[in-house]
Amino acid sequence: MGYLLDAVAIHVIGAVNRVVFRVSRGRVLPYRFDGTPTARLTEIGEVPQLDPVAVDHLRDGDDYVVLVRAAEVTSDRVRDLCGAEGVTFEVEDGGSRTAVAVVTDGADDDAEAARLRAGIDAGPTAREVRAEVLPVADGVERRELTARLLRSASLDERYALRSENLLPVARLRPRASSRRRTARLG
């Protein structure tokens, strides 16, 4: 029943987005659907990744829970991740779920664009996190963790979890040596 209500809410919000976007002539988008956040795995174990792997995740307390599609649970990538003692990954901090698209045509539009942008967070910054890997066991632990994630997730995160059939495969527990990078993303 929860999935049905989330799906209806997503479609209603999408319809409102389209109306507001058209009425504002492409200047305002009230709600941006983000789905689940992603992190870039830059190192698995002691091996730096040549091409960092992007993984979906959700927070569970201080931990990051890695999510994969049900069909990928037995993949080599998941096996390598769950077999590692630790990983290094980058997550984005900050940012806003509200997106404002502005098309400028002159000084008045420039002033309005500046006003709209002032109301939005400064944007995400990358944070490098070193973490130990705690694999999620099949069965009861996975179901309990999924239920807990669904209770604390936002509407679009819940919808993505259910519609993409995402399952938790590992818990990444940050170590004290994590550090914030100053580079701004985007």
Side-chain angles (χ1 to χ4, degrees):
M1 184 64 156
Y3 176 74
L4 182 61
L5 292 175
D6 285 350
V8 168
I10 290 286
H11 291 294
V12 168
I13 292 169
V16 170
N17 265 355
R18 285 190 295 280
V19 168
V20 171
F21 191 74
R22 286 182 186 139
V23 168
S24 70
R25 291 178 288 164
R27 294 182 184 178
V28 178
L29 183 64
Y31 189 84
R32 188 177 87 206
F33 294 96
D34 290 331
T36 56
T38 58
R40 292 175 355 128
L41 293 177
T42 57
E43 188 177 291
I44 297 176
E46 299 299 319
V47 181
Q49 300 296 88
L50 297 176
D51 295 320
V53 179
V55 295
D56 293 312
H57 73 277
L58 286 176
R59 295 294 298 265
D60 183 34
D62 290 336
D63 297 345
Y64 295 84
V65 178
V66 176
L67 306 164
V68 299
R69 282 154 191 79
E72 298 176 48
V73 169
T74 58
S75 71
D76 291 343
R77 178 174 72 118
V78 172
R79 189 182 66 245
D80 291 346
L81 171 65
C82 290
E85 288 183 19
V87 296
T88 301
F89 62 102
E90 290 179 355
V91 293
E92 291 182 10
D93 287 331
S96 173
R97 288 195 171 277
T98 302
V100 177
V102 180
V103 178
T104 60
D105 252 348
D108 291 339
D109 285 340
D110 288 342
E112 178 65 7
R115 186 187 71 74
L116 290 170
R117 286 187 183 115
I120 297 176
D121 292 342
T125 55
R127 183 166 55 100
E128 189 175 87
V129 178
R130 298 182 68 67
E132 71 177 297
V133 179
L134 305 169
V136 174
D138 289 335
V140 176
E141 182 184 4
R142 183 169 283 153
R143 283 192 299 277
E144 288 175 355
L145 182 54
T146 300
R148 190 167 55 249
L149 291 172
L150 284 169
R151 281 193 301 274
S152 64
S154 68
L155 173 65
D156 51 333
E157 290 169 344
R158 285 193 313 269
Y159 185 74
L161 268 169
R162 290 174 172 143
S163 65
E164 297 175 30
N165 200 16
L166 296 174
L167 298 174
V169 293
R171 179 182 296 279
L172 305 181
R173 181 154 295 147
R175 295 179 177 152
S177 63
S178 299
R179 62 186 184 272
R180 184 175 304 274
R181 289 179 44 191
T182 57
R184 183 167 177 240
L185 301 176

